């Protein structure tokens, strides 16, 4: 690479010591509007603190990717970006798979390493904590319980959690359709299991004739999958009160964006479950938020950690739904960052929509690693760097970055030494987490599960209800039902309860629920 210049750069892009080939790179990040400061430019192994690498705040809803091998600093990058978003009044959602992001709520600890990094990157480091809401799936772990009703979650996402194939997924969709049209609310798993059990019973089999393409055998497979799913302790994730994703959009009293941290260590052995739940949160936001177009700053930035789990073994229909959701949610002011090890973990149709890239170091120990490295290099714009060499030589807390400039064009590829987060690196004490949860304004709304009347109770009551037309038989003969007794389905569907539900106006009962790309149901707010 070239020698350093001895006079100031004529375009003002950097000091005299910035090498000539690096000046256009530095100039590409000289934004005039609000931006997040990521770090300082690296060139030929030297860090240049006067050449700051930044990302414009309005471009954060154009989505992004944070990638890199284990131990290269991805978690600290998330923390750094989340801190600055919060400081600029943008709410953030973080999925904390390993349990080491809770420290964002507390001021960091200085030291020689932090001081050195701050000096290298031109950062005025000051310890600071940020407003955090701790969440936990189903209340398993330290956090406000996040639950979804089965009806809201929908058949497509539930099929992925249950591991159903495409045919079974379509059949589950028909079961949801049946429950929607009959006013059978699917609040928790026992509701869905009750509906499937009814449809596979002697009384309910006639109803299958009205549901095209659903066989008794397939319904039986779904029922067994549900039973096994519940046996693994998964029932807690479904029920009421259902989490309102509007609570992710809140600001702290001081105007900073609230950082919602979904604590996942207690369920990290259930990757299909938590990755699909993250997609439900995103899909629910998509349904509820209005179109806003381009905004000065995002309404929310959503970090999707361990993104490869979402795409693993996903059906084409599921991938299409993800692609459309990511494409369209930008216009609703939500930015989505996928966090994973290599860009090849993300389907190309999704990857093509991610305008902001932070690529940490990659390893090239095996032929597969080499292939992934070459594929990653091809996803970057042309650059004066030797990216294959650079990506394997980056240190911890260093990355190759390209973002969208203020006019929407990609910035030059910049090797960057990232700034140090100002909050605590690592987890806070579990007792402190529990105390923060109990003091949360959301605790009273979500802490206690509610089991109101829904499909299970209605079907159970209908089954127990004696027929008004049935003659009173002697006690000895009562075990044999009269031939003219209406079947269970006639009792359920023809009862006054269902007639009343069908006449109900302004509710989701008694009529089919409108469902989205993912089969999720929009809820009334």
């Amino acid at each position: 690479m070239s020698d350093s210049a001895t006079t100031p750069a004529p375009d003002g892009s950097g000091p005299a010591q910035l090498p000539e080939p690096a000046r256009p790179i530095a100039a590409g990040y000289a934004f005039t509007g609000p931006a997040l400061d990521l770090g300082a430019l690296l060139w030929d192994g030297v860090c240049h603190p006067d050449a700051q690498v930044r990302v414009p705040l309005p471009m954060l809803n154009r989505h992004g990717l944070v990638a890199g091998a284990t131990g290269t600093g991805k978690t600290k990058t998330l923390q750094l970006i989340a801190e600055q978003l919060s400081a600029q009044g943008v709410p953030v959602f973080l999925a904390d798979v390993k349990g080491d992001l809770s420290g964002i709520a507390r001021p960091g600890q200085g030291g020689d390493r932090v001081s050195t990094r701050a000096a290298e990157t031109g950062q005025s480091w000051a310890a600071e904590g940020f407003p955090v809401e701790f969440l936990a799936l189903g209340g398993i772990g330290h956090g406000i319980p996040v639950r979804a009703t089965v009806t809201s979650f929908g058949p497509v996402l539930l099929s992925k959690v249950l591991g159903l194939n495409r045919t079974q997924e379509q059949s589950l969709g028909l079961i949801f359709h049946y429950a929607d049209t009959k006013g059978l609310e699917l609040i928790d798993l026992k509701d869905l299991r009750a509906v499937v059990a009814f449809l596979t019973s002697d009384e309910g089999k006639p109803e299958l004739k009205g549901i095209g393409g659903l066989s008794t055998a397939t319904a039986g497979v779904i029922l067994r999958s549900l039973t096994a799913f519940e046996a693994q302790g998964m029932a807690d994730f479904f029920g009421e009160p259902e989490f309102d994703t509007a609570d992710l959009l809140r600001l702290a009293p001081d105007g900073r964006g609230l950082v919602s941290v979904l604590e996942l260590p207690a369920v990290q052995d259930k990757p299909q479950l938590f990755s699909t739940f993250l997609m439900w949160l995103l899909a629910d936001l998509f349904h509820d938020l209005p179109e806003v177009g381009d905004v000065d700053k995002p309404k929310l930035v959503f970090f999707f950690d361990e993104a490869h789990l979402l795409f693993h073994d996903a059906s084409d229909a599921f991938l299409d739904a993800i692609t459309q959701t990511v494409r369209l949610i930008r216009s609703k002011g939500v930015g989505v960052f996928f966090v994973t090890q290599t860009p090849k973990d993300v389907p190309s149709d999704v990857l093509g929509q991610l305008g902001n890239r932070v690529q940490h170091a990659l390893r090239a120990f095996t032929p597969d690693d080499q292939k992934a490295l070459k594929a990653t290099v091809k996803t970057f714009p042309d650059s004066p760097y030797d990216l294959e060499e650079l990506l394997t030589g980056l240190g911890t807390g260093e990355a190759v970055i390209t973002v969208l400039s203020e006019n929407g064009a990609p910035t030059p590829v910049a090797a960057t030494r990232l700034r140090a987060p100002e909050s605590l690196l690592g987890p806070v004490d579990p007792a402190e987490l529990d105390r923060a949860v109990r003091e949360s304004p959301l605790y009273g709304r979500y802490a206690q599960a509610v089991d109101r009347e829904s499909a299970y109770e209605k079907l159970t009551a209908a089954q127990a209800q004696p027929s008004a037309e049935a003659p009173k038989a002697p006690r000895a003969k009562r075990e044999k039902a009269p031939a003219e007794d209406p079947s269970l389905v006639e009792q359920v569907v023809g009862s006054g309860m269902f007639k009343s539900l069908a006449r109900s106006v302004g509710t989701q009962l008694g009529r089919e629920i409108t469902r989205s790309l993912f089969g999720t149901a929009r809820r009334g707010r």
Side-chain angles (χ1 to χ4, degrees):
M1 297 183 186
S2 67
D3 296 332
S4 298
T6 56
T7 57
D11 59 5
S13 62
Q17 68 268 24
L18 189 65
E20 185 68 36
R23 293 181 185 178
I25 300 175
Y29 291 88
F31 309 126
T32 57
L36 308 188
D37 296 310
L38 300 180
L41 181 68
L42 281 170
W43 184 264
D44 205 15
V46 178
C47 190
H48 297 274
D50 291 322
Q52 290 292 305
V53 177
R54 315 168 74 213
V55 54
L57 185 62
M59 292 295 111
L60 267 297
N61 72 334
R62 302 298 179 93
H63 310 320
L65 176 74
V66 178
T70 301
T72 55
K74 295 193 299 295
T75 300
K76 292 181 178 65
T77 297
L78 300 191
Q79 198 163 338
L80 174 68
I81 296 174
E83 289 176 355
Q84 295 189 58
L85 285 168
S86 174
Q88 299 211 42
V90 178
V92 179
F93 173 86
L94 295 173
D96 188 7
V97 178
K98 297 185 288 291
D100 49 7
L101 281 170
S102 58
I104 196 171
R106 299 291 176 262
Q109 298 175 344
D112 292 341
R113 294 179 64 183
V114 171
S115 299
T116 300
R117 177 60 62 109
E120 290 172 343
T121 59
Q123 177 184 10
S124 299
W125 189 90
E128 185 174 1
F130 294 82
V132 175
E133 187 76 75
F134 295 106
L135 310 173
L137 282 187
I140 298 178
H142 305 279
I144 299 294
V146 174
R147 306 181 189 90
T149 64
V150 172
T151 282
S152 175
F153 203 73
V156 178
L157 294 176
L158 187 58
S159 293
K160 193 170 193 304
V161 170
L162 294 175
L164 302 182
N165 62 31
R166 180 62 176 159
T167 300
Q168 293 159 356
E169 175 188 317
Q170 293 170 339
S171 297
L172 185 61
L174 293 172
I175 293 169
F176 270 73
H177 169 78
Y178 173 81
D180 290 349
T181 56
K182 298 302 182 184
L184 293 169
E185 290 181 279
L186 305 177
I187 302 299
D188 50 29
L189 290 180
K190 74 176 186 297
D191 290 323
L192 180 57
R193 183 160 42 80
V195 172
V196 180
F198 168 68
L199 289 172
T200 55
S201 68
D202 291 340
E203 295 87 353
K205 284 178 183 177
E207 290 290 282
L208 291 176
K209 296 178 182 178
I211 309 177
L214 177 60
S215 69
T216 306
T218 301
V221 170
I222 294 171
L223 180 61
R224 289 191 293 275
S225 297
L226 280 170
T227 302
F229 189 65
E230 283 186 289
Q232 296 171 28
M234 306 295 191
D236 290 338
F237 306 113
F238 296 94
E240 289 184 322
E242 183 174 70
F243 187 77
D244 186 347
T245 49
D247 287 324
L248 301 178
L249 307 176
R250 293 177 297 145
L251 300 178
D254 60 6
R256 292 184 295 173
L258 193 70
V259 181
S260 298
V261 177
L262 183 64
E263 294 284 310
L264 294 172
V267 295
Q268 61 181 314
D269 59 337
K270 302 175 177 66
Q272 288 278 36
L273 176 71
F274 72 69
S275 64
T276 310
F277 246 93
L278 295 181
M279 196 65 236
W280 171 74
L281 290 170
L282 195 60
D284 194 72
L285 283 165
F286 175 71
H287 299 164
D288 286 354
L289 292 175
E291 296 277 344
V292 294
D294 291 325
V295 289
D296 293 336
K297 61 184 179 182
K299 299 176 72 172
L300 174 73
V301 176
F302 191 105
F303 287 90
F304 211 125
D305 204 0
E306 301 290 344
H308 65 282
L309 298 171
L310 180 69
F311 303 114
H312 180 66
D313 287 338
S315 67
D316 290 342
F318 190 85
L319 292 176
D320 287 345
I322 294 174
T323 303
Q324 291 189 54
T325 300
V326 172
R327 180 183 298 122
L328 298 174
I329 203 169
R330 180 189 70 79
S331 65
K332 300 194 173 192
V334 176
V336 183
F337 274 70
F338 292 98
V339 185
T340 188
Q341 294 204 359
T342 72
K344 71 181 183 64
D345 293 334
V346 181
S348 57
D349 287 346
V350 176
L351 190 64
Q353 299 180 56
L354 310 183
N356 303 299
R357 300 274 302 278
V358 180
Q359 177 67 60
H360 287 269
L362 291 173
R363 308 303 180 212
F365 300 135
T366 69
D368 285 344
D369 291 342
Q370 289 280 359
K371 196 178 300 182
L373 174 62
K374 292 181 182 296
T376 298
V377 169
K378 290 179 181 178
T379 64
F380 280 94
D382 289 339
S383 165
Y385 294 102
D386 180 342
L387 287 179
E388 283 195 36
E389 178 182 345
L390 179 61
L391 285 172
T392 55
L394 290 171
T396 302
E398 297 177 348
V400 172
I401 291 175
T402 179
V403 301
L404 293 180
S405 67
E406 291 168 310
N407 62 9
T411 59
V413 175
T416 306
R417 183 161 294 159
L418 297 166
R419 292 183 168 213
E422 297 183 334
S423 56
L424 182 66
L425 298 176
V428 301
D429 183 73
E432 188 175 348
L433 276 180
D434 289 337
R435 184 168 58 252
V437 170
R438 288 192 298 271
E439 293 173 353
S440 166
L442 299 184
Y443 185 79
R445 288 171 53 190
Y446 296 116
Q448 188 63 45
V450 177
D451 187 11
R452 64 183 174 89
E453 184 184 59
S454 48
Y456 172 80
E457 288 79 12
K458 291 171 183 176
L459 286 171
T460 301
Q463 191 171 18
Q465 176 184 341
S467 170
E469 301 175 6
K472 292 185 179 181
R475 183 180 299 272
K477 297 182 179 180
R478 210 169 267 180
E479 58 185 291
K480 184 177 181 180
E484 64 269 28
D485 268 2
S487 68
L488 176 58
V489 66
E490 290 170 335
Q491 293 178 34
V492 173
V493 181
S495 68
M497 173 188 67
F498 279 102
K499 291 177 182 176
S500 173
L501 289 174
R503 289 193 300 267
S504 177
V505 178
T507 71
Q508 290 185 334
L509 304 180
R511 61 179 173 83
E512 185 175 2
I513 295 172
T514 301
R515 295 191 174 274
S516 72
L517 291 170
F518 279 104
T520 54
R522 178 171 181 149
R523 298 166 290 164
R525 297 299 188 197

